[in-house]
Amino acid sequence: MAHKKLFIPGPIEVHPDVLKAMSTPMIGHRSGDYTELQKRVTEKVQKLAFTASPILFSASSGSGLMEGAIRCCTAKRAIVFSVGTFGNRWHEIAQGNGVPADKHEAEWGTGITPEVVDQYLSTGKYDLATMTHSETSTGVMNHIGELAPVFRKYPEVVWCVDAVSSFAGVKVDVDALGVDIMVTSSQKCLGLPPGLSLATFSAKAEKRAQGVANRGYYFDLLQLLQFIREKNFQYPSTMSISHMYALDAQMDRILKEGFDARFARHDAMAKRVQDWAKKHFALYPKEQWASKTVTCIANTRAISVADLNKELGKRNLTLSNGYGKLKEKTFRIAHMGDLQMSDIDELIAAIEDILKLR
Ligand SMILES: Cc1ncc(COP(=O)(O)O)c(C=O)c1O
């Protein structure tokens, strides 16, 4: 079957060199070679996350570490700041784990403002807050840089950021922002197959987790940390060693491209897609909130998105319909990972041709 180039917001295209690295023969997960691998990958990821904190890995997708974060680090009550489906997931996770939590849901298409964060945190009710950086369902990107000064006023609050669809495409300056736990998944801007996730873990988060009795087992973030410290960069159960090889190779590619160049490329691709969307359709989010890694386009022409995707499929291209209740009302073009402007141009030209937009 011919491969369809993916413009969906994960999984995304994976470079052949990375796929090749994934097929490296296995080593024992308790071997010195594995320790070296996880240590090497950790150091590279710390650079990209601009953090000195340990990097926790999980052989699960990102939702697992989101679960670990809210369960292990809420002693009192969590506040979930949601701007869409994945924001709401934090709240569902809290409920499923019996973690006391409230949710503030912004009007869809807009982000969380500093005033809203301040309003909730100033009540003193909360010791953990969650937020989505790039909300893949609505194409909203929260301005976490503008929220950081508010979080700084509340040092008792552990700040968790879901950077699943932004990390490695947009700068997430973890330590400068004061983010305690930043979670991301392999299958988005990192450009790996799905099945691995990682999180930064601050000293504040660690201290909090020490006071939480029921942290679960598989997603007990303290246990992940203890294994890194005591077992020298290992993982409590069996790691997806293939993913670690892939991440090692991909981090080398990212370092070679340069962080600034990578972020600028994502910026330029986002602008190209947003400008095109505004010309022929409209942006679903208010423009100032538009994500730099996935564009959610309002279907103002009432086209059949399903039919468009069928036609694109004949040309070996694919994009995403709207998520959940936004299906057919919107469609989404992801501009993540290793995609280049020429890929975006190819997709846009194909859509224009199919819909006769010129
Ligand atoms: C913003 C966001 N958060 C969380 C998730 C869940 O991540 P995963 O599928 O890796 O568990 C996704 C997945 O699409 C996402 O886009």
Side-chain angles (χ1 to χ4, degrees), residues 61-63 66 86 89 132 134-136 162 164-165 185 187-188:
S61 73
S63 303
M66 287 165 66
F86 292 103
R89 182 172 292 188
T132 317
S134 172
E135 173 54 68
T136 316
D162 160 1
V164 166
S165 75
S185 306
Q187 76 277 13
K188 311 272 181 181

Side-chain angles (χ1 to χ4, degrees), residues 72-316:
C72 296
C73 296
T74 307
K76 203 159 67 173
R77 193 171 189 86
I79 174 69
V80 170
F81 294 109
S82 171
V83 295
T85 308
F86 292 103
N88 291 344
R89 182 172 292 188
W90 281 109
H91 193 242
E92 289 160 17
I93 292 172
Q95 287 178 318
N97 282 279
V99 173
D102 295 323
K103 179 174 75 170
H104 171 90
E105 194 169 351
E107 183 195 338
W108 278 34
T110 70
I112 300 293
T113 61
E115 293 72 28
V116 162
V117 174
D118 205 24
Q119 191 191 319
Y120 280 89
L121 299 190
S122 64
T123 62
K125 275 165 70 178
Y126 305 105
D127 62 356
L128 181 138
T130 72
M131 181 167 299
T132 317
H133 187 202
S134 172
E135 173 54 68
T136 316
S137 62
T138 56
V140 163
M141 183 160 269
N142 273 313
H143 304 165
I144 51 178
E146 290 172 17
L147 304 178
V150 183
F151 279 98
R152 240 169 259 134
K153 280 170 56 183
Y154 302 98
E156 72 282 11
V157 176
V158 169
W159 185 15
C160 303
V161 173
D162 160 1
V164 166
S165 75
S166 62
F167 183 72
V170 175
K171 186 172 188 178
V172 185
D173 204 342
V174 169
D175 287 358
L177 289 167
V179 171
D180 295 293
I181 306 178
M182 185 279 301
V183 178
T184 198
S185 306
S186 55
Q187 76 277 13
K188 311 272 181 181
C189 300
L190 272 173
L192 261 58
L196 178 76
S197 54
L198 61 89
T200 64
F201 199 61
S202 72
K204 192 207 283 187
E206 178 184 353
K207 196 153 180 261
R208 171 66 51 73
Q210 284 162 351
V212 173
N214 295 307
R215 299 187 299 270
Y217 185 82
Y218 193 70
F219 298 114
D220 177 356
L221 302 192
L222 260 194
Q223 202 195 169
L224 296 185
L225 184 65
Q226 274 157 10
F227 256 75
I228 288 167
R229 294 227 178 101
E230 290 160 24
K231 304 277 179 182
N232 202 9
F233 289 94
Q234 293 193 358
Y235 181 66
S237 45
T238 315
M239 176 42 72
S240 172
I241 295 167
S242 306
H243 274 97
M244 288 305 250
Y245 277 127
L247 184 53
D248 193 27
Q250 178 66 341
M251 282 307 308
D252 285 342
R253 296 186 68 256
I254 293 173
L255 285 159
K256 193 166 168 213
E257 178 179 18
F259 297 157
D260 288 345
R262 189 173 182 85
F263 301 145
R265 181 167 54 76
H266 280 81
D267 229 41
M269 292 193 297
K271 184 166 184 332
R272 170 88 172 98
V273 176
Q274 288 167 13
D275 286 348
W276 177 84
K278 284 188 286 177
K279 185 170 165 202
H280 296 292
F281 291 89
L283 293 176
Y284 175 75
K286 296 228 164 66
E287 191 167 354
Q288 72 269 30
W289 299 106
S291 169
K292 301 223 179 269
T293 56
V294 55
T295 298
C296 185
I297 299 167
N299 184 8
T300 50
R301 290 172 177 263
I303 60 159
S304 160
V305 177
D307 287 351
L308 170 63
N309 232 355
K310 255 186 229 146
E311 289 304 313
L312 286 169
K314 291 179 191 162
R315 300 170 190 222
N316 294 328

